[in-house]
Structures are given as C-alpha cells and as structure tokens.
Amino acid sequence: MKVIKAEIEFTVGKTIRLDLYPELAPISVKNFVELAQSGYYEGLIFHRVIPAFMIQGGGFSYENGLRPAREVKPIKGEFRSNGVANVISHEPGVISMARTSVKDSASSQFFICVADAKFLDGEYAAFGKVSDQASLDVAVSISRVKTHSEGPFDDIPDVPVVIKAVRITEGA
C-alpha cells in the first residue's frame, strides 16, 4: 500500500510523524497534503483536546481568543455511512477529518485519536496514523494539558498548542 509521510511540527519543538493512506481515503489525503504544502496550517492551533479521546486542530488560531482560520472548501466525507468503504478504524494514533453533522462538511480540521474511538468508525473519514510510539506519546501529552471553555467552545488548551508547520516529507 502506498504511504505518504507527513509531520506536524509544533512551536515548542515537538513533532508528530504521520503515515497517510491515499489508497484508502484519497480525497482526505489529497486535501490534507494540499493544505500542508500551501502553508495553511502554519500558526494554527490544536483548539480542542480531550484526555482519553482525541486532539483536534486545523481550524483556528489563538490571539486573545479563538480566531477562525480562512475558510476551506468542504470535501466528500470518506466513510461507510456516506457510501465509502473506508476500513481504517479509529484506534489510538489514527488521524481523521473533523466535520459537523453534515456528512460532506470536512474541510481543514482534523483530529488524532489518543485512545480507542471505534464508535467513530463508519462516520468519520480516517486517513492515516501516527508513524511511531514517540508521535503517539506527543499526541497523548497534548490531550492532557489544562483546558478552559470560551464562548461556545470547550476543551481549549490554556496555553495554545501552536502548529509551526505541517510538512509532507515523502511520497506525495
């Protein structure tokens, strides 16, 4: 199976390395790769972190409060209940597209599972997995930071978890 290698580098010097699976979720991988290569994710944050569940980013910056990133065109949701036979299960380390209740609403936001979340299988477009235990450890450590609520948003890290860059390192 073809694998595209990527990495999320944080301003604090930590990195999450990813294996993306374009044969299993081609639309989601293409979207993520294009956004990464354009520099879209630079300066954005992980704005929702929940211990023993997941960390979510790719849609907001943080400057005296959450600020939405520029809007990105939504893509087709690649999951079973939307007619796509995506076999990637939401286990620890899996990266998946975030969306609203509208099945084809995913755009730039993604999440990384830090625990088993198989209840999401068939409903969210998983498109890859962390490459190694060190990367999973980084994701888990992010999920455990202190958080607060702000307006309609919950689980926002007290100290912003800022993405320095998302790089495609191999296979694109």
Side-chain angles (χ1 to χ4, degrees):
M1 175 171 49
K2 179 179 179 171
V3 174
I4 295 174
K5 301 277 189 180
E7 62 183 25
I8 303 168
E9 181 185 358
F10 297 93
T11 56
V12 295
K14 295 183 179 189
T15 300
I16 294 176
R17 285 172 292 287
L18 300 165
D19 292 339
L20 309 178
Y21 307 128
E23 293 173 17
L24 300 177
I27 297 167
S28 299
V29 170
K30 180 178 187 283
N31 181 67
F32 184 83
V33 167
E34 287 176 353
L35 290 171
Q37 290 175 329
S38 75
Y40 179 86
Y41 291 114
E42 293 170 14
L44 299 185
I45 63 167
F46 275 76
H47 66 278
R48 183 174 177 229
V49 303
I50 303 174
F53 180 33
M54 61 90 215
I55 60 174
Q56 181 174 331
F60 292 88
S61 62
Y62 197 90
E63 297 164 26
N64 298 318
L66 283 179
R67 302 283 180 251
R70 85 174 153 77
E71 200 167 313
V72 173
K73 183 180 176 193
I75 59 174
K76 177 174 176 60
E78 295 174 295
F79 44 87
R80 189 172 44 255
S81 74
N82 205 26
V84 177
N86 184 333
V87 297
I88 305 168
S89 185
H90 288 84
E91 58 189 30
V94 163
I95 183 170
S96 190
M97 293 302 296
R99 65 176 180 84
T100 68
S101 60
V102 176
K103 292 185 180 200
D104 293 334
S105 63
S107 59
S108 63
Q109 291 187 45
F110 59 89
F111 61 92
I112 300 172
C113 299
V114 298
D116 189 331
K118 289 184 172 76
F119 62 92
L120 300 175
D121 291 357
E123 295 297 329
Y124 287 83
F127 63 98
K129 188 172 182 179
V130 297
S131 302
D132 51 49
Q133 185 62 46
S135 294
L136 181 57
D137 292 346
V138 170
V140 169
S141 71
I142 291 169
S143 77
R144 294 179 174 155
V145 301
K146 284 190 66 176
T147 62
H148 67 279
S149 296
E150 191 173 301
F153 300 101
D154 296 321
D155 310 305
I156 303 166
D158 289 354
V159 176
V161 178
V162 182
I163 298 169
K164 181 176 180 181
V166 177
R167 291 185 197 85
I168 306 306
T169 58
E170 186 181 317

